[in-house]
């Protein structure tokens, strides 16, 4: 039996294991556990250790604010995992994946993010855990905001210090994510403290979930009041068990609709505690920062699915039930002001209430933020490669369509993961396997060369790769929505 792989990091030696032709190292700390005096603080550098640290098990899952049953684990939340084709290699491209969902969950142990296929293709894959929910994004008076983003930067700094020892090239780092992970990537594009930590970016289904300080403070104050805390401060919340805090946020989020009159669009976001445009950690949202040349463009692979909202409507049991009243409320709340609601009805005159709800939610939450990020990055001198996934998920009789997150197991080649089988089925069709191979090859090519393999998205042309059983590069397919949102960059949620 061959000896298990060892690597010396700046903090100490780690020993991983060989697996499926590559090496994996799991649960490596990139910062100290954010508990006790460090709770709600900026991440602190990891401790050094003597001897060899076993790196064969994933680190503990951070406290999750989702309606799922995850038992509390340890507190060493700020860890990462490395999958590498060969620790003895040099100059391999690196993908750092941020597995954040809704700013409520972050589980790098999810089998959907298994690095095996990408490692086989020659990519070093790093997946990270970071703080989410109240731990990462509650806007507290006496600690830094956006601690989840600060964790991500600390992980990227670890990569710069250490990835060469795993065979990776610190000058060829691509940062990537889906949904809130993609929102994190978009934020990192604008943050001064992240400059020089990565070269390229992948962002699938970028959300526009950012709050103003005024709204963030009011929401956090309401959450603190729910907990019986004297004030929205770290000092007042520090003694509350982290998993109890996460569970309370789950209940708090379930009642957001009751605050629609004062908190407006935020109440449709699914979480009350999202990143805040505080002016320091996050100076501004990505779209104006890039178009205004206050952030530099980069090589960016960005896209969305055609039917982004369908997954949420099906899983919530609302699919097929939306009424004209629902459509009116969605248009008034989410369409760009002042005349977006009228513009949607004019652009889609034959649409049913269900179709209008799905269109405006898909646009406002993911499609337009993604498309506009491509445009803004190009305006800032970067090169943007835009895609739309058009292939419909076969599961549940096909009603899911090309839904949110379907592209991720395709890109990772993890069709047999729980999410993959939920969306694609137990036995992937040849079409699913072929599309997975195509998207994965685009990723590998992009992280290696900065070219996704199709024409870049440029002003006037808006060329987009339509991923399907027979993929094509054509003008952006959601032109009607793009025109409605012309001149309307996703704005931070604010008090109504």
């Amino acid at each position: 039996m061959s000896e298990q792989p060892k690597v010396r990091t700046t903090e100490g030696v780690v020993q991983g294991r060989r697996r499926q032709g590559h090496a994996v190292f799991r649960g490596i700390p990139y910062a100290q556990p954010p508990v006790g005096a460090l709770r709600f603080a900026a991440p602190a550098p990891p401790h050094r250790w003597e001897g060899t640290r076993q790196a064969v098990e994933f680190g503990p899952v951070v406290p999750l604010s989702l309606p799922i049953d995850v038992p509390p684990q340890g507190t060493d939340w700020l860890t990462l995992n490395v999958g590498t084709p060969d620790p003895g290699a040099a100059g391999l491209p690196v993908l750092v994946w941020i597995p954040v969902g809704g700013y409520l969950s972050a589980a790098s142990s999810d089998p959907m993010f298994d690095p095996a296929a990408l490692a086989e293709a020659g990519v070093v894959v790093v997946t990270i855990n970071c703080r989410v929910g109240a731990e990462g994004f509650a806007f507290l008076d006496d600690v830094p905001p956006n601690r989840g983003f600060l964790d991500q930067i600390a992980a990227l700094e670890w990569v710069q210090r250490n990835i060469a020892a795993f065979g990776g090239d610190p000058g060829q780092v691509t940062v990537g994510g889906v949904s809130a992970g993609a929102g994190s990537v978009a934020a990192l594009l604008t943050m001064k403290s992240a400059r020089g930590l990565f070269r390229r970016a992948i962002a699938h289904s970028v959300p526009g979930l950012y709050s103003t300080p005024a709204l963030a403070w009011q929401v956090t104050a309401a959450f603190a009041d729910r907990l019986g805390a004297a004030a929205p401060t770290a000092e007042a919340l520090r003694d509350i068990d982290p998993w109890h805090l996460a569970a309370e946020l789950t209940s708090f989020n379930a009642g957001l609709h009751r605050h629609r009159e004062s908190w407006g669009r935020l109440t449709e976001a699914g979480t009350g505690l999202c990143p805040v445009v505080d002016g320091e950690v996050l100076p501004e949202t990505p779209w104006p920062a890039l178009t205004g040349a206050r952030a530099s463009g980069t090589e960016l692979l960005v896209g969305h699915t055609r039917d982004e909202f369908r997954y949420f409507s099906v899983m919530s049991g609302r699919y097929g039930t939306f009424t004209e009243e629902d459509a009116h409320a969605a248009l008034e709340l989410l369409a760009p002001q002042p005349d977006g609601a009228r513009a949607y009805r004019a652009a889609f005159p034959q649409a049913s209430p269900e179709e209008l709800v799905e269109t405006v939610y898909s646009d406002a939450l993911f499609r337009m933020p993604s498309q506009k990020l491509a445009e803004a990055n190009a305006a800032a001198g970067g090169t943007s490669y835009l895609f739309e996934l058009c292939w419909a998920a076969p599961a549940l009789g096909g009603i899911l369509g090309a839904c949110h997150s379907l592209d991720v197991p395709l890109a990772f080649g993890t069709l047999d993961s729980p999410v993959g089988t939920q969306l694609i089925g137990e036995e992937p069709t040849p079409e699913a396997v072929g599309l997975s191979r195509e998207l994965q090859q685009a990723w590998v090519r992009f992280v290696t060369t900065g070219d996704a393999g199709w024409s870049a998205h440029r002003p006037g042309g808006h060329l987009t790769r339509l991923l399907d059983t027979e993929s094509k590069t054509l003008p952006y397919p959601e032109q009607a929505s793009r025109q409605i949102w012309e001149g309307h960059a996703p704005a931070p949620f604010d008090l109504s």
Side-chain angles (χ1 to χ4, degrees), residues 344 348 354-364 367 481:
Y344 267 102
F348 303 97
E354 179 97 15
E355 291 167 337
L356 280 172
V357 168
E358 182 168 295
T359 299
V360 72
Y361 267 93
S362 293
D363 285 346
R367 297 197 309 194
S481 295

Side-chain angles (χ1 to χ4, degrees), residues 86-100:
D86 180 7
L92 297 175
V94 181
L95 171 64
V96 178
W97 187 256
I98 303 173
V100 174

Side-chain angles (χ1 to χ4, degrees), residues 450-462:
D451 184 342
W454 60 82
S455 298
H457 183 81
R458 303 189 189 284
H462 306 116

Side-chain angles (χ1 to χ4, degrees), residues 118-137:
L118 292 171
E120 183 180 353
V123 178
V124 177
V125 180
V126 180
T127 54
I128 72 172
N129 285 343
C130 61
R131 283 173 287 183
V132 289
E135 303 292 334
F137 293 100

Side-chain angles (χ1 to χ4, degrees), residues 161-437:
R161 293 195 306 270
N162 290 299
I163 206 63
F166 294 85
D169 181 354
Q172 290 275 67
V173 173
T174 299
V175 63
V178 63
S179 198
S184 300
V185 170
L188 290 170
L189 293 176
T190 73
M191 296 169 66
K192 292 180 180 179
S193 52
R195 290 178 185 170
L197 298 180
F198 59 92
R199 179 172 179 176
R200 303 182 178 108
I202 295 175
H204 286 218
S205 302
V206 182
L209 305 184
Y210 304 94
S211 288
T212 64
L215 175 59
W217 190 91
Q218 189 173 113
V219 173
T220 302
F223 180 57
D225 183 66
R226 172 191 175 92
L227 296 165
T233 63
E235 182 179 3
L237 299 181
R238 192 169 280 128
D239 291 336
I240 299 175
D241 177 79
W243 284 89
H244 176 68
L245 192 69
E248 286 294 320
L249 180 57
T250 302
S251 300
F252 179 76
N253 286 336
L256 285 179
H257 62 278
R258 293 194 291 267
H259 300 274
R260 178 177 289 179
E261 186 173 334
S262 56
W263 296 351
R265 294 181 300 127
L266 175 71
T267 60
E268 301 301 308
T271 176
L273 303 179
C274 59
V276 57
V277 183
D278 64 292
E280 295 182 15
V281 175
L282 182 62
E284 58 183 323
T285 54
W287 301 273
L290 288 164
T291 55
R294 292 180 294 279
S296 300
T298 188
E299 293 163 338
L300 173 68
L301 173 57
V302 58
H304 55 72
T305 69
R306 183 189 61 204
D307 308 306
E308 287 280 2
F309 186 63
R310 187 75 58 80
Y311 179 87
F312 303 100
S313 66
V314 170
M315 295 305 167
S316 67
R318 291 299 313 277
Y319 179 68
T321 71
F322 291 108
T323 65
E324 175 58 35
E325 184 179 358
D326 294 322
H328 175 79
L331 289 168
E332 290 300 319
L333 194 63
L334 297 175
Q337 298 297 323
D339 60 349
R342 179 200 58 77
Y344 267 102
R345 292 194 182 275
F348 303 97
Q350 304 303 317
S352 66
E354 179 97 15
E355 291 167 337
L356 280 172
V357 168
E358 182 168 295
T359 299
V360 72
Y361 267 93
S362 293
D363 285 346
L365 297 183
F366 299 109
R367 297 197 309 194
M368 293 303 103
S370 300
Q371 191 273 335
K372 286 184 172 294
L373 189 66
E375 290 189 346
N377 181 65
T383 303
S384 300
Y385 296 93
L386 182 63
F387 73 85
E388 177 177 277
L389 179 63
C390 304
W391 182 75
L396 301 180
I399 65 170
L400 287 169
C403 64
H404 184 74
S405 79
L406 174 61
D407 42 347
V408 181
L410 291 172
F412 272 92
T414 50
L415 306 185
D416 59 348
S417 65
V419 172
T421 55
Q422 178 193 38
L423 300 178
I424 297 168
E426 296 286 345
E427 295 292 333
T429 63
E431 290 78 12
V433 173
L435 184 56
S436 174
R437 186 178 300 114

Side-chain angles (χ1 to χ4, degrees), residues 139-190:
F139 191 51
L140 304 170
D141 288 345
D142 50 347
V143 289
N146 298 313
R147 296 169 297 281
F149 289 162
L150 296 179
D151 293 346
Q152 295 164 19
I153 289 172
L156 288 166
E157 290 171 341
W158 183 97
V159 168
Q160 288 297 307
R161 293 195 306 270
N162 290 299
I163 206 63
F166 294 85
D169 181 354
Q172 290 275 67
V173 173
T174 299
V175 63
V178 63
S179 198
S184 300
V185 170
L188 290 170
L189 293 176
T190 73

